Amino acid sequence: MAASEEMSSLFPIFILSVLGLFVVPWTIYRVSTAASNKSKNLHCRCSECMRSPKYQTSLLKRIGRVSTFSNVTLVLMWIVMAFLVFYIRASTQENQVFEPFSILGLQSSATDADIKKAYRKLSLLYHPDKNPDPEANKYFVEHITKAYQALTDPVSRENYEKYGHPDGRQGMQMGIALPSFLLNIQGAAGGAVLLGLVGLGILLPLMIAVVYLSRSSKYTGNYVMHQTLMHYYHFMKQSLAPSKVLDVLVKAQEYIELPVRRSDEEPLQKLFLVVRSELNLDPKNLKQEQAKFWKGHPALIKTELLLLAQLTREASSVPAALRADFQQVLQLTPRLLEELMKMAVAARNAEGHGWLRPALGVMELSQSITQAVPLSARKASGVSAAATSGDGVSPFLQLPHFSEGVVKKIGRKKVRTFQELRDMSPEDRRELLTTVGGFSEDEAKDVEAVLEIIPNINLDVFCETEGEEGVQAGDIVTLKAWITLHRPNGLVNCHPHAPHFPYFKDEHYWLLLADTQANSVWVSQRITFTDEAAALSASAKTIQESLEGTGADDAEVSKAVREAVEKVKSGSRLVVAKFQAPAEGIYNLTAFCLSDTWIGVDRKVNVKFKVLKRSRAGTRVVLPSEESPLLEEGSEEEDEDANANDDYDEDYESEYSDDDEVEKEEASKAKSKSRTSKGKASLDKSDGGSSSDESAE
């Protein structure tokens, strides 16, 4: 019984060890995540952002952000661990090595006379006849007497010298780290407890794992339902107009599963009247169009109206009954738009090319939702056409206190584009806004605060076949692109100005290498500027491997790596992608760098790409991409896409569609010229390759 009680003291140690294996790594992860979020919590300081609910830092909000279920659970576990440590220290005693000389207070060189003298002295203090205290009696018997015997009795002295204890070899005690009440259970109660432990320790975790796996199997790694990807793939069309992208976005399974209540009918009717102008209904057949709209899926109707409320900045008009749904729809939107973009650029033909037109439309919709700017603001008509660029007034509307009236006023002062406004000096811009735009000094300062964080994008693209001269048909071509962000305030990463979007959102960019004439995307990659450490490692590794393959010495490699590291630290990111060179010819491609957050900052660069006739031995073949299984299913839809121009919306053109006719004429001229003087066309790079020059926007 005593042995079992002694062994049961190991149970707290066992529980403490199990908790420590889980709590310590979890704490490290939470602390590192919080530190990372705090380091990048740099946001706009304009009055609109400071009034935005997501930036409010009241005491209740701070407590609410910290008092999450995860944090509270973590704190409770640390309290339990601290209690276990205190309990273990109070209930167990550490085994000490038996030292007879130390117990008697002697040196190891003491004589027999010294040993007897010390024993008599301690006997006067601890002997039961002299000291009635039970603890003194116990100490005298278990320590003082054994120490004296170990040094005076021959047998005890021999045991001590051999085994370290006067009683001889000490046996090892083993037990089970369970509490004593479990070890003393007998009969039917023991079986019941055993079944309970098995159920709690084995069956319960197993059931939780089964439920988790069954639910997670419906989602991708980006927490988007597989059913959503199927819907997006089915409804994505090659000629999908930007104004029709919203119709595809709302068909996500997450939106379909939104609760539909009978009480929502009246609030939705009121919201419909507020956002009706953005639905592109035919005014000649308004009643028929409205009736057709309300015949749709109730959840999709609700989602579309809520997204239109965000685009038109009518969030305050959303009834209280729909407020929770409104928040949920906007919370899902960023990752759904990311998956929609991936579906637009997914491989759709044998060459592995995606579609450019819907990809541009997805990015425009993402920008508009983030900045709460209606899609109709991208149209330029009347006075706005003379005072704005191809983006309409939408880039100006992302600035605080701007309206279409203000854009018209400054347009009369020769400020025709958003870039012209950005290029002005702060003094001239403040004078323009205060004298012409009617802004106050504080409002002009708000505009300056936002313009300080809007990035300028530089894009440098180069294509080559590594280790070979020129690019030949069938080669594996390596695309290298340096994307650089320059902000007037010098920051590389910060939260964008988006006071009307209720959640924090990081900036992301997409690099596309596309053939605008064929409406095809050759290369696509998503870029983020939030993780500098990963960008440093990736760029250094890429540069090192590239130069080592060319036979460069260590000094050249080290110098190139240092330059790449400095570029990354100053706000650049290196993008490397590979694709298979097409047939012989000259290709006029376009590289796009598209923001999913800012309007009017996208950059495109013309890339001349010359492919020579195959003369090298061997044939290089590109392995099928991950999206290749979709190709077989999508090939049946290509015939439908060829006739999908009937659905094209002429009322709304993408910001890039204005250049289509000019690019077609230039391409036809270049093609005819290449036919007449084949093999003599001169490019910036000899023997094939590519060069890039920035086009005017």
Side-chain angles (χ1 to χ4, degrees):
M1 186 72 173
S4 64
E5 292 180 354
E6 183 178 355
M7 290 301 104
S8 66
S9 63
L10 298 177
F11 181 68
I13 300 176
F14 172 73
I15 296 297
L16 180 64
S17 302
V18 173
L19 285 177
L21 291 175
F22 175 72
V23 173
V24 173
W26 188 15
T27 303
I28 295 175
Y29 169 75
R30 297 289 297 179
V31 171
S32 61
T33 302
S36 175
N37 292 336
K38 185 177 180 180
S39 65
K40 65 181 183 181
N41 191 20
L42 301 172
H43 59 83
C44 176
R45 298 293 178 178
C46 72
S47 60
E48 288 189 358
C49 285
M50 298 305 293
R51 290 195 302 266
S52 179
K54 63 183 175 183
Y55 293 122
Q56 297 297 323
T57 56
S58 63
L59 180 60
L60 291 178
K61 273 191 169 289
R62 291 179 180 178
I63 295 175
R65 290 176 181 176
V66 174
S67 302
T68 61
F69 177 79
S70 177
N71 291 342
V72 171
T73 303
L74 189 61
V75 171
L76 290 177
M77 286 187 173
W78 274 109
I79 293 175
V80 171
M81 290 179 63
F83 173 77
L84 288 175
V85 171
F86 175 78
Y87 176 79
I88 292 169
R89 294 189 62 181
S91 61
T92 60
Q93 295 181 355
E94 184 179 359
N95 293 327
Q96 298 180 355
V97 179
F98 184 76
E99 293 288 349
F101 289 104
S102 176
I103 294 173
L104 297 177
L106 300 173
Q107 299 292 333
S108 58
S109 58
T111 61
D112 293 341
D114 295 333
I115 294 173
K116 293 180 180 180
K117 182 178 180 181
Y119 175 73
R120 286 194 298 268
K121 184 177 180 180
L122 291 174
S123 298
L124 296 175
L125 297 176
Y126 295 100
H127 196 278
D129 296 338
K130 304 293 183 181
N131 192 340
D133 187 4
E135 293 294 329
N137 183 19
K138 182 178 180 180
Y139 181 75
F140 180 79
V141 174
E142 294 182 359
H143 294 80
I144 297 175
T145 302
K146 286 187 177 182
Y148 179 72
Q149 291 177 353
L151 298 178
T152 56
D153 185 70
V155 177
S156 299
R157 182 98 181 210
E158 183 180 0
N159 289 334
Y160 170 70
E161 292 176 353
K162 286 184 177 181
Y163 308 111
H165 198 277
D167 294 336
R169 186 191 299 273
Q170 300 296 299
M172 179 180 296
Q173 293 182 346
M174 301 182 65
I176 303 174
L178 291 176
S180 57
F181 72 89
L182 290 179
L183 298 176
N184 297 329
I185 293 178
Q186 297 178 357
V193 171
L194 180 61
L195 290 176
L197 290 176
V198 171
L200 184 64
I202 299 177
L203 297 181
L204 181 61
L206 185 60
M207 292 176 61
I208 294 175
V210 170
V211 172
Y212 172 78
L213 292 176
S214 63
R215 292 184 176 181
S216 61
S217 62
K218 299 191 301 183
Y219 293 88
T220 65
N222 200 23
Y223 300 102
V224 175
M225 289 186 175
H226 291 289
Q227 193 69 26
T228 297
L229 300 187
M230 295 177 62
H231 292 171
Y232 284 171
Y233 185 82
H234 175 72
F235 289 104
M236 183 65 65
K237 303 299 179 183
Q238 185 175 6
S239 58
L240 186 69
S243 60
K244 301 297 183 182
V245 174
L246 181 61
D247 297 336
V248 180
L249 173 66
V250 299
K251 290 179 172 59
Q253 186 66 26
E254 288 85 347
Y255 292 152
I256 295 176
E257 294 183 359
L258 284 177
V260 178
R261 300 170 288 268
R262 291 185 179 180
S263 59
D264 292 343
E265 184 175 355
E266 183 178 352
L268 287 176
Q269 290 284 354
K270 295 179 180 179
L271 188 60
F272 174 80
L273 297 177
V274 175
V275 302
R276 181 172 53 184
S277 59
E278 290 295 318
L279 285 172
N280 296 322
L281 300 178
D282 186 4
K284 297 180 180 180
N285 301 311
L286 188 59
K287 290 185 178 180
Q288 293 82 349
E289 292 285 328
Q290 291 183 5
K292 182 180 179 181
F293 175 79
W294 287 107
K295 287 181 180 179
H297 194 287
L300 301 187
I301 292 174
K302 178 196 289 189
T303 301
E304 185 170 1
L305 292 177
L306 293 176
L307 286 175
L308 289 176
Q310 168 67 12
L311 289 169
T312 55
R313 298 187 180 179
E314 294 290 348
S316 59
S317 301
V318 176
L322 301 176
R323 181 65 59 178
D325 294 332
F326 179 67
Q327 298 288 336
Q328 184 178 357
V329 166
L330 292 183
Q331 188 176 20
L332 293 171
T333 299
R335 60 174 178 264
L336 291 177
L337 283 168
E338 180 184 344
E339 294 301 321
L340 190 60
M341 182 65 176
K342 292 178 182 178
M343 202 57 59
V345 299
R348 297 283 182 158
N349 53 29
E351 292 79 15
H353 296 167
W355 293 332
L356 175 62
R357 183 173 179 79
L360 298 179
V362 173
M363 284 293 96
E364 291 178 7
L365 179 61
S366 177
Q367 297 167 4
S368 297
I369 290 178
T370 303
Q371 298 297 338
V373 174
L375 294 174
S376 59
R378 292 183 181 269
K379 303 174 185 178
S381 60
V383 178
S384 297
T388 61
S389 64
D391 292 330
V393 298
S394 56
F396 294 95
L397 295 182
Q398 66 186 338
L399 299 176
H401 316 299
F402 262 76
S403 64
E404 292 189 23
V406 174
V407 177
K408 293 179 181 179
K409 290 178 181 179
I410 65 175
R412 300 189 187 104
K413 295 297 181 179
K414 306 300 182 183
V415 181
R416 302 181 182 278
T417 65
F418 182 62
Q419 189 60 42
E420 289 178 356
L421 180 67
R422 298 182 65 189
D423 292 339
M424 297 176 66
S425 64
E427 295 78 12
D428 294 341
R429 189 163 47 234
R430 182 168 58 252
E431 182 179 358
L432 174 69
L433 295 177
T434 54
T435 59
V436 179
F439 284 25
S440 65
E441 288 293 333
D442 291 338
E443 290 174 341
K445 290 180 180 178
D446 286 343
V447 174
E448 289 298 324
V450 175
L451 291 175
E452 284 285 317
I453 64 174
I454 295 181
N456 287 306
I457 301 176
N458 290 335
L459 182 59
D460 186 15
V461 182
F462 185 76
C463 298
E464 64 178 354
T465 301
E466 293 185 348
E468 303 288 352
E469 293 186 2
V471 177
Q472 297 185 4
D475 281 353
I476 303 301
V477 182
T478 301
L479 177 143
K480 295 181 181 178
W482 278 103
I483 301 173
T484 306
L485 295 188
H486 293 292
R487 303 181 201 266
N489 61 5
L491 292 176
V492 175
N493 176 43
C494 65
H495 287 302
H497 167 79
H500 302 283
F501 194 79
Y503 299 99
F504 292 103
K505 185 182 184 305
D506 290 327
E507 298 175 342
H508 297 288
Y509 299 85
W510 280 84
L511 175 69
L512 305 180
L513 181 65
D515 186 343
T516 57
Q517 303 302 315
N519 188 29
S520 61
V521 176
W522 293 25
V523 174
S524 63
Q525 191 162 332
R526 186 169 178 261
I527 306 106
T528 179
F529 285 77
T530 56
D531 194 349
E532 183 178 291
L536 287 171
S537 176
S539 59
K541 181 179 179 181
T542 300
I543 295 297
Q544 182 177 0
E545 292 178 351
S546 176
L547 291 180
E548 288 178 350
T550 61
D553 56 24
D554 294 341
E556 293 177 347
V557 173
S558 299
K559 181 180 178 181
V561 169
R562 285 195 301 268
E563 292 176 352
V565 169
E566 291 300 323
K567 276 188 174 183
V568 172
K569 290 182 178 180
S570 63
S572 298
R573 295 293 183 268
L574 176 62
V575 179
V576 179
K578 297 181 182 294
F579 61 94
Q580 188 172 20
E584 177 187 4
I586 298 176
Y587 297 87
N588 292 317
L589 305 179
T590 304
F592 295 87
C593 184
L594 307 174
S595 171
D596 70 346
T597 304
W598 299 104
I599 305 175
V601 303
D602 298 340
R603 186 70 61 192
K604 62 178 180 178
V605 170
N606 293 331
V607 180
K608 292 182 179 180
F609 187 63
K610 181 179 180 181
V611 181
L612 303 176
K613 184 177 180 180
R614 187 75 188 175
S615 62
R616 290 191 284 267
T619 302
R620 306 185 179 192
V621 180
V622 175
L623 295 176
S625 62
E626 294 180 358
E627 293 82 7
S628 58
L630 298 177
L631 182 59
E632 299 178 359
E633 182 181 348
S635 61
E636 299 176 359
E637 300 179 4
E638 291 183 0
D639 295 336
E640 299 177 6
D641 297 334
N643 299 322
N645 291 327
D646 296 338
D647 298 333
Y648 176 72
D649 184 6
E650 297 291 348
D651 293 336
Y652 171 43
E653 295 285 344
S654 169
E655 62 179 288
Y656 301 103
S657 60
D658 296 337
D659 301 330
D660 288 349
E661 296 299 329
V662 178
E663 292 175 351
K664 287 180 180 178
E665 294 179 3
E666 293 178 354
S668 61
K669 292 179 181 179
K671 186 175 181 180
S672 61
K673 184 178 178 180
S674 63
R675 288 178 178 176
T676 57
S677 57
K678 186 176 180 180
K680 297 183 179 180
S682 60
L683 298 173
D684 295 338
K685 300 296 178 180
S686 62
D687 298 330
S690 70
S691 63
S692 63
D693 55 278
E694 191 170 317
S695 61
E697 292 191 330

